[in-house]
Amino acid sequence: MNHWAELVELFEYKVTDLLEGRTPRGGRRSVAELREELLSAPLEPALLRRLMETDRLFRGGTNGRAPNLHRGRPAPQAHPVWEAPVTAASEEALAWDELQTLLWHHRATQRLQELAAHWQRDATLQRLRVLYAVVENAERAGTAQPVPVPEANDPLMDLHDPEVNQAIARALGTLLYTEAGRVQVRAALSQVQAEPFPRHPDEDVLAARIAAAEREPLSAEAKDALIRALKAEYPMPRDPRERSVIRVAAREVAEQLEPLLDSAPQRALGAVPHGSVLYAQHPTNAMRVPDDGADKLIIHLRGAQAAHWRGLDLRWQPIGPNWQLQVGGQVALLRPALGPLDRTQTLSLPGTHLRLFLSGAYLLLHVDSHAAAELGRRASLARAVSLLLDSQEAFAYLRLARAAAQLLRGGPLNLETLGPDSAQKYHAATPDVLLAFARKGVETLSARLERSDPAQAAGAFAEAAAHLGLHPLAAERLHGALHAALHRPEPLPDPRSGERFELSPGTFLSVQLGDDPLTLEAGGRAVTLRQDYKGELVVVLPGLAPMILHDLLVVRVPELHLLLVRHGSWLAATAGNDEVVPTLRLAASAEQPH
């Protein structure tokens, strides 16, 4: 079973209900049955420690005696304990706010660096010069004379150097982290637009000295030399014709920065979204399972020691006041005592980067990947999974995949376990269990194909098809779907906004998910997607039980299959009809003369 962590967490919640005098859902018998199941389960050490601790509380709550499972509802406590509601001052709410701000700051700094690199291509560097003045004036914030926009060829600025520009972008990003800094940046933007070249405070002194020099009883040549010497001690006034050009550049900079400033996260006001924190302190905030379709995950590190998310095995443990996190073969030391902007780390993973943001005992993981490519790979994976879920000819493609896997491993075919009778367990399985099995099969077989010679792999599929009575076309179709899932992401259009769309057979539609329910029309059926109270995306199709869409979902009804994949708020969907599974029997009957 792949959900031992969720079952251990469920056991903890049930035991907590018992100890606080409440009857858990399913009754007291469900607690004992779940306990017996977990005690015999192959749990990893971290989960086993959690189970033993909870089991100790469970047995201790009945003074060492097994609970009476036939007893009625327990009497209410004489002095019930009142639990204060979650407020904005709670540790969880404060950590939620800080993590959202840290993630936004990371994205904002990336955007600023992109803008700085783009503006550097401008020959006059007007917008970069404006950006420099904005940063300088925001950092000084009224404590000194405003800094004018530097001249185009100021040798002290060195704005042609990419490192200098990235340093300016990072400095601006640091200012944007706090509300006070954002206010200062807005004020500096307005100031530069109003007056790019503030009047120098010593201009009156220079004018007075020049006037005094002109009254001196000297020759014209001597007066000119004296006046030139006086002017050399003070900055020369800027060309007034440059003012209008700089103001245009300042407006362009403001147009790029204003949306960034407006997107800064606001405080949660005591309302951490339901189902948004894995292993949360408060049950209303607890996430049922990690959402593989999301690009970020928040974990309460004290609540457990392991999780599985987006194919990543995550393990952590306390090391004194710090936390040690292991992701695959990489280890990161998380230090809560550092400053906010120093509590960010990056782990390089195959094909992507994993950003780590820490706030106390709360960790935010963010996968920094290209959404279109990520969703395209997921769409290709969904097509292969859907093929394995085709129930025609006793799940012919699923049996073919198992047979090909046996041959690719170098072993002989066990035809007794691959015949049509072996598909009875697939017909009896629930849709979610069957989907998980098919997806695991595609991922495992794809990984084996990646290590195999293409010609050898094609031969294994053809041989497996022949033994199962399938036409070579069936082998080619399955091999091609697995190859696409491994190497060829599905090309997807840009996402559209709306509340109702019609799916075209075979072609993926891209939709930007919002707060309102989304309706997709496919083959005369209406499919509704909406957020439930736990923040999960629920798929509702008349005649079927509601289904949760994390990152991939294949729904099969008579004469129709529906493919749904998600990456964050980007949804891709398509529908279609199954093609007839080509078998040797059908091919032979087609060749016979009528």
Side-chain angles (χ1 to χ4, degrees):
M1 179 176 289
N2 297 325
H3 307 293
W4 292 120
E6 289 79 2
L7 291 179
V8 170
E9 185 177 3
L10 178 62
F11 182 59
E12 292 170 342
Y13 281 130
K14 285 179 176 288
V15 170
T16 300
D17 286 340
L18 277 178
L19 297 179
E20 294 180 356
R22 299 187 296 269
T23 301
R25 176 173 293 184
R28 299 170 62 84
R29 180 179 297 276
S30 67
V31 185
E33 292 175 349
L34 180 59
R35 173 177 178 267
E36 293 176 2
E37 178 74 18
L38 290 174
L39 288 176
S40 61
L43 300 180
E44 58 188 23
L47 288 178
L48 185 60
R49 285 194 294 270
R50 288 174 58 191
L51 174 64
M52 293 297 99
E53 176 64 21
T54 307
D55 186 54
R56 182 184 63 79
L57 297 174
F58 173 70
R59 291 181 285 104
T62 54
N63 296 323
R65 294 177 284 105
N68 182 5
L69 299 177
H70 301 283
R71 187 175 60 186
R73 189 177 184 87
Q77 296 179 352
H79 302 285
V81 178
W82 177 79
E83 293 185 4
V86 183
T87 65
S90 72
E91 178 188 9
E92 206 147 83
L94 294 175
W96 170 270
D97 284 339
E98 185 174 43
L99 290 174
Q100 301 307 311
T101 304
L102 285 172
L103 177 57
W104 172 84
H105 169 264
H106 168 71
R107 291 171 169 169
T109 302
Q110 281 188 321
R111 176 58 180 159
L112 291 172
Q113 291 175 333
E114 292 172 0
L115 288 173
H118 175 67
W119 291 340
Q120 190 181 15
R121 303 189 187 105
D122 183 8
T124 61
L125 301 176
Q126 292 172 354
R127 287 168 292 187
L128 270 182
R129 289 150 56 199
V130 168
L131 192 67
Y132 170 82
V134 167
V135 172
E136 285 291 323
N137 289 325
E139 289 179 340
R140 302 184 183 205
T143 61
Q145 173 68 19
V147 173
V149 175
E151 298 184 28
N153 298 314
D154 191 329
L156 299 179
M157 295 297 100
D158 202 15
L159 295 179
H160 292 280
D161 188 343
E163 292 185 5
V164 173
N165 298 327
Q166 295 301 300
I168 294 173
R170 287 193 296 270
L172 181 55
T174 302
L175 283 167
L176 297 185
Y177 179 74
T178 63
E179 179 63 31
R182 294 192 287 272
V183 171
Q184 293 168 8
V185 170
R186 288 184 188 274
L189 272 171
S190 300
Q191 180 184 13
V192 171
Q193 289 184 71
E195 183 49 72
F197 316 125
R199 192 169 183 270
H200 196 278
D202 293 334
E203 283 188 20
D204 292 336
V205 176
L206 174 61
R209 289 187 175 183
I210 291 175
E214 290 177 344
R215 292 194 296 269
E216 290 292 328
L218 301 172
S219 65
E221 293 78 4
K223 284 184 180 182
D224 290 341
L226 177 58
I227 291 174
R228 285 196 300 271
L230 290 173
K231 289 181 177 180
E233 298 179 8
Y234 298 91
M236 295 298 295
R238 301 286 287 275
D239 186 347
R241 294 173 297 180
E242 191 182 6
R243 183 174 281 107
S244 61
V245 177
I246 293 298
R247 281 176 172 163
V248 170
R251 283 196 297 270
E252 293 174 351
V253 172
E255 289 174 358
Q256 295 290 340
L257 296 188
E258 283 294 344
L260 205 58
L261 293 167
D262 292 338
S263 66
Q266 304 298 319
R267 288 186 58 83
L269 301 177
V272 177
H274 287 186
S276 58
V277 180
L278 188 63
Y279 309 129
Q281 292 188 55
H282 305 282
T284 56
N285 301 338
M287 179 181 293
R288 188 173 60 87
V289 293
D291 186 357
D292 287 335
D295 57 2
K296 64 180 180 180
L297 173 68
I298 295 180
I299 303 175
H300 178 220
L301 297 175
R302 295 197 192 100
Q305 289 187 311
H308 186 81
W309 178 61
R310 293 175 62 100
L312 301 174
D313 288 318
L314 311 170
R315 300 176 184 274
W316 59 90
Q317 62 180 347
I319 304 292
N322 306 318
W323 295 91
Q324 179 178 281
L325 173 70
Q326 180 177 349
V327 184
Q330 300 192 53
V331 177
L333 181 63
L334 311 176
R335 304 170 63 186
L338 295 178
L341 301 184
D342 295 324
R343 286 188 259 114
T344 298
Q345 298 185 51
T346 301
L347 297 181
S348 296
L349 302 176
T352 186
H353 295 284
L354 184 65
R355 313 288 181 184
L356 312 177
F357 305 92
L358 184 68
S359 177
Y362 290 82
L363 176 67
L364 188 154
L365 306 172
H366 178 252
V367 174
D368 198 359
S369 61
H370 194 273
E374 178 80 14
L375 199 60
R377 285 191 292 268
R378 205 162 290 164
S380 295
L381 174 64
R383 288 198 187 276
V385 171
S386 178
L387 196 62
L388 262 61
L389 292 177
D390 189 345
S391 61
Q392 297 180 81
E393 298 293 338
F395 285 91
Y397 290 111
L398 190 50
R399 293 187 292 115
L400 175 59
R402 292 175 53 207
Q406 291 181 14
L407 292 175
L408 288 173
R409 285 196 298 266
L413 277 181
N414 187 354
L415 294 177
E416 294 182 0
T417 63
L418 296 172
D421 292 340
S422 67
Q424 293 299 323
K425 56 186 175 184
Y426 305 140
H427 288 288
T430 59
D432 55 338
V433 171
L434 190 57
L435 173 62
F437 179 75
R439 179 172 182 174
K440 184 67 175 177
V442 169
E443 292 172 345
T444 302
L445 195 50
S446 296
R448 188 165 294 278
L449 286 176
E450 192 172 21
R451 300 190 298 268
S452 303
D453 178 73
Q456 177 191 2
F461 278 91
E463 181 182 349
H467 282 288
L468 297 182
L470 300 176
H471 193 275
L473 181 59
E476 295 175 7
R477 189 177 295 171
L478 178 58
H479 188 201
L482 293 170
H483 185 272
L486 188 61
H487 298 292
R488 194 167 60 248
E490 183 87 15
L492 299 174
D494 293 333
R496 300 158 58 187
S497 298
E499 299 179 9
R500 195 176 193 92
F501 296 93
E502 183 174 357
L503 298 180
S504 300
T507 303
F508 271 94
L509 168 77
S510 292
V511 180
Q512 189 72 32
L513 294 172
D515 296 330
D516 297 326
L518 171 68
T519 300
L520 303 175
E521 296 180 359
R525 298 172 180 265
V527 183
T528 302
L529 292 87
R530 56 176 174 78
Q531 298 281 347
D532 68 357
Y533 74 100
K534 292 283 285 182
E536 295 178 320
L537 190 61
V538 179
V539 180
V540 180
L541 185 64
L544 298 179
M547 296 159 282
I548 304 297
L549 170 59
H550 292 297
D551 63 330
L552 182 151
L553 183 64
V554 177
V555 182
R556 283 186 164 269
V557 293
E559 299 181 355
L560 177 71
H561 60 258
L562 177 69
L563 278 59
L564 300 167
V565 292
R566 181 173 71 89
H567 180 81
S569 61
W570 187 346
L571 171 78
T574 188
N577 300 314
D578 291 325
E579 299 182 28
V580 176
V581 178
T583 65
L584 295 176
R585 170 177 49 82
L586 293 176
S589 62
E591 293 175 358
Q592 291 178 357
H594 297 284

